């Protein structure tokens, strides 16, 4: 206003300063609440999906009748929980996704979580996430493969540890023609 030659009332400047200060305080409180409740929110999201899974299984059993006694749905509960948790705010994948911006990060996260839940190949998940990454298929593939395989690997290790009376060790096996340098370095390790 001063640049346009208009006079600025002192009260307006005070009000503007108060408004700016209040907005900063509100943003800080919201960030604090989100960080405080991030784990609860992530757990609630996972529980909601798992509850939906149980309902879907019940619906399938009701529709099909008793069916074969050996029929069991193959939903990767452990891997799903791992991926959802790892993509939460403040977690490594969550931090990576936040760098993409809110909309793109949410879109990639949705592609990863729904792709894992649907049992899709990481390459298919990457194609679904590619748009959010500006069409960068290489980055989409890297993220999808890394995070989906990490979720399954974490679950497998937890299963091994929970069954240490049966499993006494495991050997790292990497695809030497397409794995990252860290995985290749670990190849063959017991």
């Amino acid at each position: 206003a001063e640049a346009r030659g208009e006079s600025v009332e002192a009260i307006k400047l005070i009000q503007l300063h108060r408004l700016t200060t209040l907005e900063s305080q509100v943003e800080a409180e919201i960030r604090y609440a989100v960080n405080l409740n991030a784990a609860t929110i992530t757990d609630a999201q996972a529980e909601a999906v798992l509850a939906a899974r149980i309902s879907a299984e019940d619906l399938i059993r009701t529709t099909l009748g008793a069916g074969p006694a050996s029929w069991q749905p193959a939903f990767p509960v452990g891997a799903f929980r791992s991926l959802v948790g790892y993509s939460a705010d403040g977690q490594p994948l969550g931090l990576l996704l936040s760098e993409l911006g809110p909309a793109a990060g949410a879109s990639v996260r949705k592609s990863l979580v729904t792709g894992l839940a649907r049992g899709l190949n990481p390459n298919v998940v990457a194609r679904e996430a590619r748009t959010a990454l500006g069409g960068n298929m290489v980055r989409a593939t890297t993220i999808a493969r890394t995070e989906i395989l990490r979720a399954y690997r974490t679950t497998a290790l937890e299963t091994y540890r929970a069954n240490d009376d049966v499993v006494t060790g495991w050997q790292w096996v990497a695809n030497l023609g397409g794995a990252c340098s860290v995985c290749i370095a670990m190849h063959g390790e017991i």
Side-chain angles (χ1 to χ4, degrees):
E2 285 179 345
R4 291 190 305 264
E6 299 173 14
S7 64
V8 179
E9 297 177 30
I11 190 68
K12 295 291 183 187
L13 292 175
I14 292 170
Q15 289 173 338
L16 178 61
H17 177 70
R18 285 183 180 166
L19 177 62
T20 305
T21 302
L22 180 61
E23 286 174 341
S24 296
Q25 289 173 342
V26 169
E27 287 175 12
E29 289 298 321
I30 289 172
R31 276 193 304 276
Y32 175 76
V34 166
N35 290 336
L36 186 64
N37 295 307
T40 303
I41 292 167
T42 299
D43 289 346
Q45 289 171 329
E47 291 302 321
V49 171
L50 294 175
R53 170 191 159 236
I54 291 168
S55 295
E57 289 173 14
D58 291 344
L59 180 61
I60 290 169
R61 283 191 180 97
T62 302
T63 303
L64 296 177
S70 62
W71 179 82
Q72 286 295 322
F75 185 84
V77 176
F80 180 80
R81 282 182 186 268
S82 178
L83 182 61
V84 169
Y86 209 68
S87 65
D89 290 338
Q91 296 297 316
L93 177 57
L95 294 172
L96 171 72
L97 296 178
S98 70
E99 292 173 6
L100 303 175
S107 180
V108 172
R109 182 178 191 265
K110 180 181 177 185
S111 295
L112 290 169
V113 171
T114 58
L116 187 139
R118 291 168 47 207
L120 298 178
N121 182 295
N123 294 327
V124 175
V125 175
R127 283 193 292 276
E128 291 181 2
R130 161 178 58 194
T131 303
L133 294 166
N136 188 338
M137 188 61 179
V138 172
R139 185 153 191 222
T141 302
T142 300
I143 291 171
R145 283 183 182 165
T146 300
E147 301 309 332
I148 289 174
L149 293 176
R150 180 195 325 261
Y152 280 107
R153 192 171 45 250
T154 300
T155 303
L157 290 173
E158 289 171 2
T159 302
Y160 297 161
R161 288 184 185 110
N163 294 288
D164 62 358
D165 58 323
V166 177
V167 179
T168 58
W170 60 279
Q171 182 176 13
W172 189 278
V173 178
N175 175 352
L176 299 178
C180 70
S181 58
V182 174
C183 291
I184 291 172
M186 295 290 296
H187 181 72
E189 292 289 318
I190 304 293

